[in-house]
Amino acid sequence: MGIGTTLARAVDASIDRTVVLGYTRLGSGLRARWWPADPEPGALAGRRVLVTGATSGIGTAAVEGYLRLGAAVHVLGRNEAKVAATVDQARSLVPGGEVVGETCDVGDLAAVRRWAAGFGERCDRLDAVLHNAGTMTGERRETSPQGHELTLAVHVLGPHLMTALLGDALRAAPAPSVVWMSSGGMYGARLHADDADDIEYRRGTYDGVRAYARTKRMQVVLAQEWARCDSTGRALVASMHPGWVATPGVQEHLPRFERLTRPLLRREDDGADTAVWLVATRPESRAPHFWHDRAQRPVTLPGQREPSAEAVTRLVDHVVKATGAGIGL
Ligand SMILES: NC(=O)c1ccc[n+]([C@@H]2O[C@H](COP(=O)([O-])OP(=O)(O)OC[C@H]3O[C@@H](n4cnc5c(N)ncnc54)[C@H](OP(=O)(O)O)[C@@H]3O)[C@@H](O)[C@H]2O)c1
């Protein structure tokens, strides 16, 4: 490793720790000077990619990123009209690209089962899935159709079940990728064994921001477990965070934060960059497989400890029980 690379890595890691510098557009602006090369044009030709939460923000930008690299892209959202509009927009931006609309509420486990059965009849191979759908709640009474706490259903249970049900299609791909769009907010939630026993967040006073952070941490842990249980030896399973990105979701759920940070927020394609780059370049990934700005990042802050093996086992057990789906490609 040259001195330039060592220095770049040191600077990169230290701006990550400052949060504001790392997560805003200043971070990606700086890192773009040294981060790994862009994917080759056409890198995803012949590949089929599914993006959830594709009808807004980072998801829509990811759709366009994959399409521009030649992939056939499945645009999944829960609102049929928004899906149709996103598909039309993507087709007009990348004429000749294959774009398929998919309607499914990721937080509704019955809908995920129905949708996955239909997808399996239409497509026998899927090269990548980006679990991007995300939400933030105000109150505990917001639950999924099966009665699960809503962020748990949308961020954890639905994507877990979907990955399991897409297993055959993913295994049929020569180099499958599964990417979970987590959040830097997950650093604020450690996942103690007690939390892992309370995945529905019934204990204590419910707080929507905390529910979000807890389930974003669960995504990171779960992605790591999916990576560990890859029996194909060919899969890239990773989680990532996009930094702070100006999206309709941030405007709706965090209006004060959005007002305060507006000039520094990233563009949506910047937020989607690592998700597109990971699938298109498939870099070597080591546990814990957590990425941001084209580099692996720690999953803990200095002084924090990673979730214990017991907490991980309990989380996985609860997720498997709630979904009826095991882990493993
Ligand atoms: N923006 C940021 O700064 C930031 C930071 C960290 C992490 N993230 C993560 O990045 C991802 C995208 O966020 P964003 O900022 O682009 O948010 P966004 O603009 O609100 O987009 C979220 C997308 O998820 C969809 N969605 C929500 N619930 C769904 C469900 N039950 N089933 C299917 N789709 C559903 C939404 O569909 P509708 O349009 O129908 O609601 C929308 O398409 C999220 O996972 C978020 O947690 C974002």
Side-chain angles (χ1 to χ4, degrees), residues 52-60 76-79 82 104-108 131-135 150 154-155 181-185 212 216 219 241-250 252-253 257 265 268:
T52 76
T55 54
S56 176
I58 296 168
T60 304
L76 189 144
R78 59 183 162 171
N79 175 312
K82 282 191 188 175
C104 175
D105 181 336
V106 173
D108 179 345
H131 290 304
N132 170 77
T135 192
L150 198 61
V154 175
H155 298 157
M181 184 64 75
S182 177
S183 163
Y212 176 87
K216 288 289 164 182
Q219 289 186 315
H241 82 85
W244 294 343
V245 188
T247 64
V250 168
E252 182 190 339
H253 299 297
F257 170 81
L265 292 179
E268 290 164 341

Side-chain angles (χ1 to χ4, degrees), residues 11-67:
V11 175
D12 192 324
S14 58
I15 64 176
D16 204 46
R17 291 297 178 217
T18 65
V19 177
V20 172
L21 192 52
Y23 288 21
T24 59
R25 63 190 179 81
L26 302 175
S28 46
L30 263 173
R31 287 169 172 147
R33 295 163 189 240
W34 58 71
W35 70 22
D38 290 345
E40 295 290 326
L44 290 174
R47 305 283 154 137
R48 191 165 290 281
V49 180
L50 169 72
V51 180
T52 76
T55 54
S56 176
I58 296 168
T60 304
V63 166
E64 289 164 16
Y66 293 128
L67 260 183

